Amino acid sequence: DVKVTQSSRYLVKRTGEKVFLECVQDMDHENMFWYRQDPGLGLRLIYFSYDVKMKEKGDIPEGYSVSREKKERFSLILESASTNQTSMYLCASSTARTATNEKLFFGSGTQLSVL
Amino acid sequence: GESVGLHLPTLSVQEGDNSIINCAYSNSASDYFIWYKQESGKGPQFIIDIRSNMDKRQGQRVTVLLNKTVKHLSLQIAATQPGDSAVYFCAENLVGGNKLTFGTGTQLKVEL
C-alpha cells in the first residue's frame, strides 16, 4: 500500500514563527500536494508539485511556500505563521500526470495551532 | 448535499439501511469525479471514481451515480455499517485540468 507520512500529528506554534511541515511518500509518485482542511470549507489546495524542484500555486498559496528537493519529500513552509493559518494540513501524492486518473493518497494530517 | 458554509451537512441512518450522499458539482466541463471517505483522525481515503462517459459505477457495497444534465453526483452505500461513519467528500476534475476540486463534505452518522 501507498504510504504518505506527515512528520507531525500535532503542532503548536507562535505567531511570527517559521513553520515547516514535512511529508514523505514511499511509492515513487511524481505528484505531491498540500491541502488545508477547515470545518465546513472542505479541502483547499495550497501548492502542488509534479516533479523535483517544480511547484505550482493552488487556490490559496498566500502565506505559504513549498520545497521539493527530492522526489519523495514535499515540504510546506509558513514563513511567518499567523493565527488564521491554524488548520489541519493534509499532504497527498499520486502517480498520474493527467488528472483523469488523479487518485490521491493522503497522509493522516498535521493539526497546526498558531497562538 | 454538500454546500459551502461553517456547518457540515449531516446524514443520519440506521444500521443496515442504505445511505445516499449527494453532491452538486460546479463545472459542466468536469470529466472525472471521486468520492473520498475521511474517518476521525485520519486522512481521506479513496472510495470510488467515475469518468464523465459513464453514469453509474459499482464497487463493493458502494455505487456512484453521475447525472451530467443536472451536474449531480451521488454515493450510495448499501447496508450501512457503523464503520461507515465518516465524512464523505466528492471531488471533480476539469477536462485538461491538473487538480481536483473538493466539496465541503457530508457527515454520515450510523445509528445502532
Side-chain angles (χ1 to χ4, degrees):
Chain A
D1 283 349
V2 174
K3 191 165 185 182
V4 179
T5 303
Q6 294 183 229
S7 55
S8 302
R9 185 70 182 92
Y10 298 97
L11 273 180
V12 180
K13 298 291 182 181
R14 297 206 175 274
T15 302
E17 279 193 75
K18 189 170 186 176
V19 181
F20 292 87
L21 302 183
E22 306 287 348
C23 176
V24 176
Q25 49 93 4
D26 65 359
M27 285 300 291
D28 201 36
H29 284 176
E30 294 85 5
N31 312 329
M32 296 189 75
F33 305 79
W34 276 106
Y35 288 85
R36 65 177 282 175
Q37 182 177 20
D38 300 287
L41 296 178
L43 281 70
R44 293 179 292 167
L45 182 63
I46 305 171
Y47 266 98
F48 58 104
S49 169
Y50 282 156
D51 202 352
V52 175
K53 297 191 185 294
M54 175 271 178
K55 61 183 179 183
E56 287 193 35
K57 292 180 180 179
D59 298 319
I60 51 164
E62 296 78 18
Y64 303 94
S65 62
V66 290
S67 172
R68 192 157 181 210
E69 297 295 319
K70 294 184 178 181
K71 191 175 184 180
E72 67 272 18
R73 186 179 298 270
F74 193 36
S75 302
L76 180 69
I77 304 156
L78 287 66
E79 294 290 342
S80 178
S82 63
T83 55
N84 63 13
Q85 291 179 310
T86 291
S87 185
M88 171 68 78
Y89 289 88
L90 290 163
C91 176
S93 71
S94 70
T95 59
R97 182 109 187 149
T98 57
T100 51
N101 193 27
E102 197 81 276
K103 187 166 77 175
L104 300 177
F105 295 87
F106 284 88
S108 295
T110 296
Q111 179 63 53
L112 173 66
S113 297
V114 182
L115 306 178
Chain B
E2 298 190 6
S3 61
V4 176
L6 295 177
H7 300 289
L8 202 62
T10 300
L11 174 66
S12 295
V13 298
Q14 293 289 324
E15 182 181 5
D17 287 351
N18 296 335
S19 302
I20 300 176
I21 301 171
N22 297 304
C23 176
Y25 63 92
S26 57
N27 200 313
S28 57
S30 293
D31 67 343
Y32 178 62
F33 305 87
I34 299 184
W35 281 99
Y36 283 89
K37 172 187 179 183
Q38 186 176 24
E39 297 176 88
S40 181
K42 297 182 179 180
Q45 292 180 292
F46 171 86
I47 303 174
I48 192 167
D49 58 0
I50 188 168
R51 291 184 172 80
S52 59
N53 60 354
M54 304 170 68
D55 54 19
K56 181 179 180 179
R57 191 170 187 209
Q58 288 184 291
Q60 186 177 12
R61 277 202 311 120
V62 294
T63 301
V64 55
L65 298 177
L66 176 62
N67 185 331
K68 295 181 285 295
T69 302
V70 295
K71 293 188 287 186
H72 184 267
L73 191 68
S74 68
L75 177 70
Q76 300 179 0
I77 304 173
T80 311
Q81 302 169 359
D84 294 327
S85 293
V87 177
Y88 290 81
F89 293 96
C90 66
E92 63 181 297
N93 181 75
L94 293 173
V95 173
N98 56 11
K99 62 184 178 72
L100 292 172
T101 299
F102 284 81
T104 54
T106 296
Q107 174 80 56
L108 176 65
K109 293 184 177 181
V110 180
E111 298 171 349
L112 303 177

